[in-house]
């Protein structure tokens, strides 16, 4: 029963991070702050949800796969955000696709 | 619980339509592609809701990933020069609206006539499944019941890659190399991702016989991994000698041709798998298809981007 | 001898892989030619088997509805034979006209002709033999993508532009066809053509499915008014490719429309559908012929002629609907003989016209009619081929075209609408634009114009094709059907 | 409004939306996006037919839709390659610099593969006549 | 328990819906790609929740593919940005 309680808590926290991340992206003024919001939602939100689900997992294989998914998602997420920030910093004032 | 199912279905459906509308009607081409990529992601969720994990696997890699990458590549080269797309005249838009609406109404009328409880061929497949070499319904349909479809499908992939390679041969254009030399971070990421992709597509291939997965999903994922490698400067496909590349590209069709040729000579049907050893045949065929699909995918995406020396200096 | 049906599918696919992988250009050409020759054997065997003892069935693996079955009746066996004959002679022409540059790329464009042609013939054979609707969809994709590949071989701006328009149009067409197939599967849980024919009754579902599938087929077969992509595609491609496209690929669309209308929707067909198609065909014939007459380039003239002749072939549909009907399982869909006869004679004649046009262009260096002066004297054989093919298209005795026109006369006498008048009108218009082309060839050569010598190997194939087209008239086609 | 009807209707809507955009003849890239949306709608409709029965979905539409996804990918990739090739030839033809990729050489109008002069009337290729 | 998981998945789906606003409004292409990345991760989370709720292991494989492909799409996008600068500096 305790495990269920913990999972509920972790998953709810994770979802809240996602929601706040999305709100951040909608409301923040420039790209960098949005990137900040994205990495938070990305890393922590998913991490908490994976943690919550891992508690429910019955077999070790499931936990292993959950961990793998989280690592890959977090890794590619943060790299992508780094590249975005890098690209934003260097980009001159004229965005190439201003409609 | 039941109410929740309906809410989930409807919200995925609404999201799909909204994404499609946004993707089709935003003026800026890059926004349209961004929405199309999101459309592919939600499409994979729709397959999940329809209990079609095989399709979710394929759609996740093809819909959002590969088609999105292809469109981004093409848009970067074409749209950047021509600027805003030419907006069609209002008369044309009106007629197209009317025609599409007419087709839509006709299809809804037809949909109402579809029997809501029919089971299609589910029963027939379930009965015949034990006689086939594999336990997973979709793989048995693809490689046993309707193997001819898959044979032609590998031929269609070969045709697409021939067209791209013919165009590539015409364009002796030195295109700026694909790899991102400037960022060690990316090559670091790719270095870590490559083994994961390789192991995971092997798992998908092996799982195909008894669980969702199979040749095409594994092939497409392997292809995506190949593209990541090309991006990080590790040239796999583009450094292959021409003859080897052609062999690997046609491996799927060649595998089918070899199999059906021997079956015909043995007096069996064109693709009538023998009782004994059918499982090894199917697995061998799946490996051949996965490899050729992977290389086809990489050639399709990277094919029109390779750094091509003019003919004289070719190594 | 139903195993020959399987060899018809297996042979081109295996040969396509072999010629794609082969290293040297010469090896690819040899493999392509050899396969085209060997393909004649199963095609003849199947045609003979069907003529002797009726339609042949073949189980690829599992029986329908789970598996896919192949079936050859007279209509499909005759068109498979046409594909093999025209394919062989066009391959002979191509091996003489295409160069073999040293291999520099993964796929050298001229060498791609061979694997693309073999995949095209595999797609066409599958289209003619398969009875499974989804399998027909994939076969259609094979035919379309190989045709697009063939069109884009020269890599010039005109050919790649034409190939792109061709791809976009036919992509929409195949999705419309697929949606129709989905509707039918939803209704009856099977994809087998003849099984659906027994189950389908009129109603919103059947009409919507039929409408979508027909639209899809019309785009793919370039039936008027959805033919906009054909003149550029057939007009700019290599002569050998235009011969394959106009001679063979368009017949696939015609065949599929006849098969779907008469075998999948027999109980859904209404005479008004036939009338609508007939009227569209009528407008198409006139419109395309006028364009052909005013066309300045030889290959585009012949491309518009294809659209016009397609309209003529379509006239067999309203006649067949008005005709006796019935005859399920008959050796050929009753009432379709005129269309088949015209399809066969047009296939041979149009391929001959394009190949001889290729010889003219090779000599004059450009396909503009104004530049073709003096070609008649320099290339007697090619001109003879052009004339014989024109003879067939005009339906003068004893050619295959005459045979087709006679069959149209008999059939039209029954129906309420005098379609044979339209056929005569169409033939007159054909005479107009073919006359324009011939007159250009007989112009005296301009003083400074130096015509290039044309090797015999470029003139023999069109001559053989034209001879076959004329010889077709001697074959008693009408008695072919029991 | 069970799963079958919801997604079947979505399939019809997506097909019609895609068809509307295709008929409005936008640029090549938008047309390919519209065709992909049409394809997804068609396959969604096909697979929703597999989900009409209580005990488990019918695997046949799933396999056919998988084939459909791969065929649509092949056709889209070919279309995009043709579009890029055409764009380069146009840019090359007009001598302009190609944005996003340097055009430095390459044959002007593509190689004519006919022995001797090809129909676009360019000068002799210097190939020996047979 | 599984009801809770499905509800959470629904909430995540709602965040994707909300994110659309940024995609349409985002001034630069970077903002749009940023949202594509977020949708990818949200999709991964939703799939994992559904995998547990309906006890369907293959959904975890789909989640893994999502994660890998999200990186691919964004990397290609960033590659073009590099080319854009590269070709401009190189000319």
């Amino acid at each position: 029963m305790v495990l269920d309680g913990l999972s509920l808590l972790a998953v709810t926290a994770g979802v809240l991070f996602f929601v706040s991340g999305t709100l951040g992206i909608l409301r923040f003024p420039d790209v960098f702050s949005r990137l900040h919001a994205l990495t938070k939602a990305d890393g922590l939100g998913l991490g908490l949800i994976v943690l919550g689900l891992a508690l429910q997992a019955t077999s070790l294989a499931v936990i292993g796969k959950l961990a793998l998914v989280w690592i890959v998602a977090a890794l590619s997420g943060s790299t992508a955000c780094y590249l975005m920030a890098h690209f934003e910093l260097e980009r001159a004032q004229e965005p190439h696709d201003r409609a | 619980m039941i109410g929740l199912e309906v809410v989930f279905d409807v919200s995925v459906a609404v999201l799909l339509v909204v994404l499609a509308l946004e993707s089709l009607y935003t003026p800026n081409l890059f926004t349209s592609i961004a929405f199309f990529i999101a459309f592919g992601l939600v499409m994979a969720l729709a397959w999940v809701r329809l209990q079609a994990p095989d399709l979710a696997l394929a759609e996740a890699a093809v819909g959002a990933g590969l088609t999105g990458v292809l469109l981004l590549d093409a848009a970067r080269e074409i749209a950047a020069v021509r600027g805003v797309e030419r907006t069609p005249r209002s008369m044309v838009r009106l007629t197209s609206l009317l025609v599409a609406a007419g087709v839509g109404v006709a299809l809804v009328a037809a949909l109402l006539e579809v029997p809501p409880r029919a089971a299609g061929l589910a029963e027939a497949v379930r009965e015949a499944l034990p006689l086939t070499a594999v336990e997973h319904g979709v793989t048995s349909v693809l490689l046993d019941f309707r193997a001819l479809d898959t044979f032609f499908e590998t031929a269609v992939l070969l045709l697409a890659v021939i067209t791209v390679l013919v165009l590539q041969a015409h364009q002796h254009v030195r295109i700026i190399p694909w790899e991102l030399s400037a960022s060690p971070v990316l090559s670091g990421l790719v270095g870590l991702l490559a083994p994961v992709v390789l192991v995971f597509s092997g798992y998908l291939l092996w799982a195909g016989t008894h669980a969702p997965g199979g040749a095409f999903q594994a092939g497409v994922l392997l292809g995506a991994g190949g593209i990541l490698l090309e991006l990080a400067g590790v040239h796999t496909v583009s450094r292959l000698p021409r003859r080897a590349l052609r062999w690997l590209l046609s491996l799927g069709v060649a595998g089918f041709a070899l199999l059906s040729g021997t079956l015909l000579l043995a007096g069996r049907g064109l693709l009538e798998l023998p009782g004994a050893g059918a499982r090894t045949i199917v697995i061998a065929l799946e490996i051949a298809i996965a490899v050729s699909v992977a290389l086809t995918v990489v050639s399709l995406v990277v094919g029109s981007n390779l750094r091509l020396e003019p003919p004289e200096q070719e190594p | 001898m139903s195993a020959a049906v399987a060899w018809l599918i297996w042979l081109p696919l295996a040969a396509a892989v072999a010629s794609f992988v082969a290293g040297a250009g010469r090896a690819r050409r040899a493999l392509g030619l050899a396969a085209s020759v060997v393909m004649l054997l199963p095609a003849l065997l199947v045609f003979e088997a069907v003529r002797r003892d009726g339609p042949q069935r073949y189980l690829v693996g599992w029986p329908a509805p789970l598996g896919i079955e192949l079936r050859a009746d007279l209509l499909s066996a005759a068109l498979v034979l046409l594909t093999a004959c025209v394919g062989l002679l066009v391959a002979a022409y191509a091996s003489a006209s295409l160069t073999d540059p040293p291999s520099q790329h993964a796929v050298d464009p001229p060498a791609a002709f061979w694997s693309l042609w073999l995949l095209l013939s595999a797609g066409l054979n599958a289209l003619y033999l398969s009875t499974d609707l989804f399998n027909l969809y994939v076969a259609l994709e094979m035919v379309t993508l190989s045709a697009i590949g063939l069109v884009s071989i020269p890599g010039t701006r005109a050919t790649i532009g034409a190939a792109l328009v061709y791809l976009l149009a036919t992509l929409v067409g195949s999705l419309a066809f697929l949606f129709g197939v989905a509707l039918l599967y939803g209704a009856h849980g099977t994809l087998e053509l003849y099984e659906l024919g027994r189950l389908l009754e009129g109603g919103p579902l059947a009409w919507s499915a039929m409408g979508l599938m027909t639209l899809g087929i019309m785009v793919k077969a370039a039936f008027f008014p959805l033919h906009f992509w054909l003149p550029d595609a057939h007009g700019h491609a290599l002569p050998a490719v235009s011969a394959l496209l106009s001679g063979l690929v368009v017949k696939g669309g015609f065949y599929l429309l006849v098969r779907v209308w008469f075998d999948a929707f027999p109980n859904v067909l209404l005479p008004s559908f036939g009338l609508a198609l007939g009227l569209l065909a009528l407008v198409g014939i006139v419109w395309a012929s006028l364009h052909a007459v005013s066309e300045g380039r030889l290959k585009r003239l012949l491309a518009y002629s294809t659209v016009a002749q397609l309209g003529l072939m379509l006239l067999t549909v309203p006649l067949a609907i008005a005709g006796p009907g019935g005859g399920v399982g008959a050796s050929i869909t009753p009432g379709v003989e005129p269309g088949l006869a015209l399809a066969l004679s047009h296939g041979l004649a149009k391929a001959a016209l394009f190949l001889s046009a290729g010889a003219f262009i090779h000599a004059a260096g450009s396909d503009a009619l104004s530049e073709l002066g003096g070609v008649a004297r320099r290339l007697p054989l090619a001109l003879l081929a052009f004339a014989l093919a024109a003879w067939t298209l005009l339906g003068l005795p004893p050619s295959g075209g005459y045979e087709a026109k006679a069959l149209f006369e008999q059939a039209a006498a029954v129906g309420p609408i005098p379609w044979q008048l339209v056929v005569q009108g169409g033939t007159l218009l054909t005479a107009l634009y073919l006359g324009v082309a011939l007159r250009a060839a007989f112009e005296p050569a301009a003083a400074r114009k130096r015509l290039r010598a044309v090797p015999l190997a470029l003139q023999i194939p069109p001559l053989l094709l034209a001879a076959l087209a004329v010889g077709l008239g001697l074959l008693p086609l009408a008695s072919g059907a029991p | 409004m069970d799963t079958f009807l919801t997604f079947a209707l979505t399939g019809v809507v997506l097909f019609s939306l895609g068809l509307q955009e295709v008929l409005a003849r936008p640029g090549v890239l938008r047309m390919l996006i519209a065709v992909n949306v049409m394809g997804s709608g068609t396959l969604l409709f096909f697979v929703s037919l597999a989900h009409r029965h209580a005990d488990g979905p019918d695997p046949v539409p799933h396999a056919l839709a998988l084939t459909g996804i791969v065929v649509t990918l092949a056709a889209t990739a070919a279309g995009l390659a043709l579009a890029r090739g055409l764009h380069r030839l146009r840019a090359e033809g007009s001598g302009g610099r190609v944005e996003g990729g340097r055009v430095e050489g390459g044959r002007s109008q593509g190689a004519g593969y006919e022995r001797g002069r090809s129909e676009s009337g360019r000068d002799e290729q210097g190939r020996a006549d047979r | 328990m599984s009801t809770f998981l499905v509800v959470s998945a629904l909430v995540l789906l709602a965040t994707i819906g909300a994110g659309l606003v940024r995609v349409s409004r985002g001034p630069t292409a970077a903002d749009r790609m940023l949202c594509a990345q977020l949708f990818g991760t949200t999709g991964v989370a939703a799939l994992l929740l559904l995998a547990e709720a309906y006890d369907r292991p293959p959904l975890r494989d789909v989640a893994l593919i999502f994660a890998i492909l999200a990186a691919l799409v964004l990397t290609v996008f960033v590659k073009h940005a590099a080319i854009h600068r590269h070709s401009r500096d190189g000319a």
Side-chain angles (χ1 to χ4, degrees), chain A residues 8 11-12 15 18 22 25-26 31 34-35 38 42 53 56 62 65 69 76-77 80 84 87-88 90-91 97, chain E residues 1 4 11-12 15 18 22 28-32 34 37-38 41 44 48 52 60-61 67 71 74 81 85:
Chain A
L8 283 178
V11 170
T12 322
V15 170
F18 268 105
T22 313
I25 281 183
L26 290 183
V31 182
R34 288 187 208 124
L35 269 175
L38 171 64
D42 233 2
L53 291 174
Q56 295 293 324
V62 170
K65 192 167 271 189
V69 169
S76 62
M84 294 274 293
F87 150 67
E88 274 302 302
E90 283 196 357
R91 195 163 55 80
D97 69 322
Chain E
M1 189 56 192
F4 168 72
V11 170
L12 290 181
T15 57
R22 172 54 60 199
T28 64
D31 295 307
R32 295 188 187 92
L34 183 129
Q37 171 68 18
L38 177 66
T41 319
V44 167
L48 291 179
E52 187 60 34
R60 293 189 186 92
D61 303 340
L74 209 67
R85 251 181 298 97

Side-chain angles (χ1 to χ4, degrees), chain C residues 96 154 167 182 185-186 239 362 452, chain D residues 49 52 58 79 109 111 114-115 129:
Chain C
L167 179 89
Y185 182 81
H362 185 84
R452 294 171 33 73
Chain D
L49 296 173
R52 294 179 285 175
D58 162 16
Q109 274 300 326
E114 307 269 23
R115 283 214 164 75
D129 267 346

Side-chain angles (χ1 to χ4, degrees), chain B residues 12-97:
Chain B
V12 167
V14 165
L15 204 54
L16 271 178
V17 174
V18 167
L19 281 169
L21 278 170
E22 295 271 357
S23 172
L24 293 174
Y25 296 119
T26 41
N28 178 291
L29 186 61
F30 285 95
T31 321
S32 173
I33 295 175
F35 276 123
F36 180 74
I37 291 171
F39 176 81
L41 292 176
V42 178
M43 200 64 203
L45 288 180
W47 297 133
V48 166
R49 285 302 305 154
L50 281 164
Q51 292 176 15
D54 296 82
L55 293 175
L57 286 167
E59 185 74 38
V62 168
L66 296 168
T67 314
V69 164
L70 281 166
L71 284 167
L72 266 177
D73 258 355
R76 183 62 69 183
E77 185 175 346
I78 295 175
V81 174
R82 266 222 321 279
V84 180
E85 302 281 305
R86 50 175 170 70
T87 52
R89 297 184 309 283
S90 62
M91 235 296 286
V92 171
R93 187 159 283 283
L94 186 65
T95 44
S96 59
L97 209 62

Side-chain angles (χ1 to χ4, degrees), chain C residues 265-362:
Chain C
F265 296 103
N267 319 331
V268 182
L269 261 182
L270 298 175
S272 55
F273 296 164
L275 185 64
L277 202 68
L279 291 180
L280 267 182
L282 171 65
V283 174
I285 294 168
V286 172
W287 188 85
S289 304
L290 294 182
H291 261 277
V293 172
S294 62
E295 188 51 54
R297 310 188 73 88
L298 181 54
K299 283 203 288 185
R300 280 177 69 83
L301 181 146
L302 294 177
Y304 275 114
S305 149
T306 303
V307 178
Q309 296 292 325
L310 262 173
L312 278 173
M313 265 180 263
L314 268 180
L315 293 181
T316 191
V317 172
L319 291 175
I321 294 178
V328 173
S331 167
I332 181 170
T333 319
V336 173
E337 292 87 349
L340 173 62
L342 190 58
L344 294 179
S345 58
H346 174 264
L348 293 164
K350 185 50 65 65
L353 286 176
F354 266 113
L355 291 189
S356 41
F360 292 158
I361 294 164
H362 185 84

Side-chain angles (χ1 to χ4, degrees), chain C residues 22-38:
Chain C
R26 267 188 326 287
R28 290 201 190 116
R29 194 148 43 98
L31 274 165
L33 267 176
S36 307
V37 171
V38 173

Side-chain angles (χ1 to χ4, degrees), chain C residues 34 41 61 87 177 180 184 204 211 235 238 243 291 294 296 314 331 366 381-382 394 453-454:
Chain C
L41 183 62
F177 184 87
L184 297 184
L238 294 169
H291 261 277
S294 62
L314 268 180
S331 167
S366 136
L381 284 180
L394 296 185
V454 171

